[in-house]
Amino acid sequence: QKEVEQNSGPLSVPEGAIASLNCTYSDRVSQSFFWYRQYSGKSPELIMSIYSNGDKEDGRFTAQLNKASQYVSLLIRDSQPSDSATYLCAVIRGSNYQLIWGAGTKLIIKP
Amino acid sequence: DAGVTQSPTHLIKTRGQQVTLRCSPKSGHDTVSWYQQALGQGPQFIFQYYEEEERQRGNFPDRFSGHQFPNYSSELNVNALLLGDSALYLCASSSQGYEQYFGPGTRLTVT
């Protein structure tokens, strides 16, 4: 079992709809969770971080964390074609500062 | 405020050669992490430097080495290059290692 798992996609969503991206992790001591966006040929860009259970909203993005279920998700409201990218979930375990990465979900927003 | 910078942008080397990649962190950041990303995969952690010491290391051979300077900038050295070392090399900076911000990356091609 991989430490951080994501559906590779592609996930196709109509423009203006809500895109829902999911990530599960295996190590219960994981404490810090991040979502990165990566356009083809570019480096990852940090878009959300979440550290405690519940929802965290930033503009059109909402991160949701459920530590009991070992599950973190990213919702993108009012999806735009410019949101088309690969979304990477990353986790830090305990006091270990190493980011453990999922393989990413490719998101395609259709006009 | 300048973000994370990396040099060079692209590099072509021959098998067996050595390469040095450079990274300057975001202003105010003291920690630098290096990652290798192959096409279609998530980044793989190489190592992390904090206070000029290697704090953590991923599952990479000793051919991969690094250094952090007093101004927090960092170098990644790879000796005896193999074809499999061809990848995007990413540098990320952070304050104490949590939210990591990436530079544009160096695309290394080994022929």
Side-chain angles (χ1 to χ4, degrees), chain B residues 6 21-23 32-35 45-47 74-76 90:
Chain B
Q6 291 185 245
L21 310 182
R22 296 176 175 82
C23 173
V32 172
S33 303
W34 286 92
Y35 296 86
F45 176 74
I46 302 175
F47 40 55
S74 178
E75 290 182 348
L76 164 65
L90 297 162

Side-chain angles (χ1 to χ4, degrees), chain A residues 36 38 43 49 96-98, chain B residues 37 55-56 96 99-100 103:
Chain A
Y36 286 81
Q38 188 172 27
S43 62
S49 59
N96 182 321
Y97 296 107
Q98 177 181 342
Chain B
Q37 187 176 27
R55 178 157 70 175
Q56 291 175 35
Q96 300 294 307
E99 294 187 349
Q100 297 185 19

Side-chain angles (χ1 to χ4, degrees), chain B residues 59-94:
Chain B
N59 189 26
F60 276 80
D62 291 344
R63 297 187 297 110
F64 289 78
S65 63
H67 189 77
Q68 185 179 35
F69 300 94
N71 67 353
Y72 307 116
S73 67
S74 178
E75 290 182 348
L76 164 65
N77 301 292
V78 187
N79 295 321
L81 285 166
L82 304 174
L83 295 178
D85 294 331
S86 295
L88 179 66
Y89 287 85
L90 297 162
C91 166
S93 77
S94 58

Side-chain angles (χ1 to χ4, degrees), chain B residues 24-64:
Chain B
S24 290
K26 188 177 169 69
S27 178
H29 285 181
D30 55 11
T31 303
V32 172
S33 303
W34 286 92
Y35 296 86
Q36 179 194 69
Q37 187 176 27
L39 205 59
Q41 297 182 23
Q44 297 295 312
F45 176 74
I46 302 175
F47 40 55
Q48 184 180 87
Y49 278 85
Y50 172 68
E51 292 188 342
E52 302 179 52
E53 297 281 336
E54 183 183 288
R55 178 157 70 175
Q56 291 175 35
R57 188 179 183 91
N59 189 26
F60 276 80
D62 291 344
R63 297 187 297 110
F64 289 78

Side-chain angles (χ1 to χ4, degrees), chain A residues 12-19 60 76-84 108-111:
Chain A
S12 183
V13 174
E15 183 176 358
I18 296 175
R60 295 187 297 112
I76 307 174
R77 290 182 299 281
D78 189 24
S79 296
Q80 303 296 311
S82 60
D83 294 327
S84 298
I108 298 171
I109 306 300
K110 291 189 172 182

Side-chain angles (χ1 to χ4, degrees), chain A residues 2-45:
Chain A
K2 293 182 179 178
E3 291 194 64
V4 179
E5 296 209 56
Q6 297 180 254
N7 188 320
S8 62
L11 175 64
S12 183
V13 174
E15 183 176 358
I18 296 175
S20 178
L21 302 160
N22 304 316
C23 172
T24 59
Y25 58 95
S26 61
D27 195 332
R28 288 193 172 273
V29 302
S30 300
Q31 294 185 352
S32 306
F33 307 87
F34 307 90
W35 282 100
Y36 286 81
R37 176 175 63 196
Q38 188 172 27
Y39 294 112
S40 181
K42 303 295 186 181
S43 62
E45 174 191 7

